[in-house]
Amino acid sequence: MNPKVTLYISKAKKWQAEMEQLRAILLACKLNEELKWGKPCYSFQETNLFIIQAFKDNCALGFFKGSLLKDESNLLTKPGENTQAGRMIRFKNLQEIIKIKVILKSYINEAIAAEKNGLKIETNKNTELVLPEELQYKFKKNPSFKKAFNALTPGRQRAYNMFFSAAKQAATRETRIEKYTNQILSGKGINDCTCGLSKKMPYCDGSHKSLR
C-alpha cells in the first residue's frame, strides 16, 4: 500500500468505502500502487493500467487500455465521445462493487494479460474531434489560443479534448479550459511538465522536488 494513496482516500469527502474496496481488489492482483494525477493509479511492469476516480455522482475504476477487453458482461463505458482506448466502470455504492467482485477481477486480469502479451490498441488518428461548445467559444474569443491548440500534435489535441469533454457540467468544462490555457499557448500537452519534460517520464514528477 502506498501511503500517499492511503492519505488521499482518508481525506476524501465521498466514496471512501468504495475506493477502499476497489483498491483491495487491485492490490490483490499484485499491481504497483502510486498516486498520479492526484488519483490512485495502478501499473503493471511500469505501464499504467488502472485508475480510481471519485466523481460527484459515482466512483469509477478506469482502464487505460479498456478497448482491448472483451467486455462480456457489458460493464465498460467510454469516458467521452472521442475516447478510443480508455474505458470505465462506474459505481454508485459499495454493494455494486461487491456484487461483481469476481467479474471485476476477471476484467483486471484480462487487462494484465493483454499487457503481458503486448497487445496494441489500433486508434483511428484521422477521427475528427467533437469539440465541446466551451472550447469552440474559447477559439472565437481568442484566435491565438485556437492557433496554439491546432499547432499541437493530434495526440495532445485528443488528450485535451477528452479531458475537457469528460466534465458533465459546462462550468467545469470552462474551468478546465481556463486552467490549461497557458499550457496550450506554450505548446505543451496535458501531461507535460512546465519544465518541458513529460510527467510520465521517470526523471520528472512535475514538482521538481524528486528528480531521479
Side-chain angles (χ1 to χ4, degrees), residues 31-47:
L31 295 161
N32 182 50
E33 180 181 68
E34 296 179 75
L35 193 69
K36 291 187 176 181
W37 308 289
K39 309 292 181 184
C41 188
Y42 300 82
S43 61
F44 174 77
Q45 294 182 350
E46 300 185 358
T47 298

Side-chain angles (χ1 to χ4, degrees), residues 130-143:
V130 180
L131 305 176
E133 292 182 6
E134 294 76 17
L135 186 56
Q136 295 181 47
Y137 175 75
K138 181 76 173 182
F139 286 165
K140 293 179 181 179
K141 184 179 177 182
N142 190 340

Side-chain angles (χ1 to χ4, degrees), residues 22-23 25-26 31 40 42 49-55 58-64 75-77 87-91 97 104-105 107-108:
L22 290 173
R23 181 190 194 189
I25 293 171
L26 289 160
L31 295 161
Y42 300 82
L49 293 183
F50 314 98
I51 189 168
I52 296 175
Q53 294 178 280
F55 299 103
N58 60 79
C59 177
L61 175 61
F63 293 71
F64 285 106
L75 298 173
L76 301 174
T77 60
R87 298 290 187 271
M88 302 180 84
I89 302 179
R90 299 179 184 271
F91 303 96
I97 301 175
L104 203 54
K105 282 186 176 181
Y107 273 50
I108 293 169

Side-chain angles (χ1 to χ4, degrees), residues 57-75:
D57 300 321
N58 60 79
C59 177
L61 175 61
F63 293 71
F64 285 106
K65 299 182 179 181
S67 62
L68 292 174
L69 305 185
K70 297 177 182 178
D71 192 22
E72 294 177 346
S73 297
N74 196 30
L75 298 173

Side-chain angles (χ1 to χ4, degrees), residues 121-148:
I121 296 172
E122 295 183 7
T123 58
N124 185 356
K125 296 182 179 181
N126 296 318
T127 300
E128 185 176 351
L129 296 180
V130 180
L131 305 176
E133 292 182 6
E134 294 76 17
L135 186 56
Q136 295 181 47
Y137 175 75
K138 181 76 173 182
F139 286 165
K140 293 179 181 179
K141 184 179 177 182
N142 190 340
S144 296
F145 175 77
K146 179 179 180 180
K147 182 178 180 180

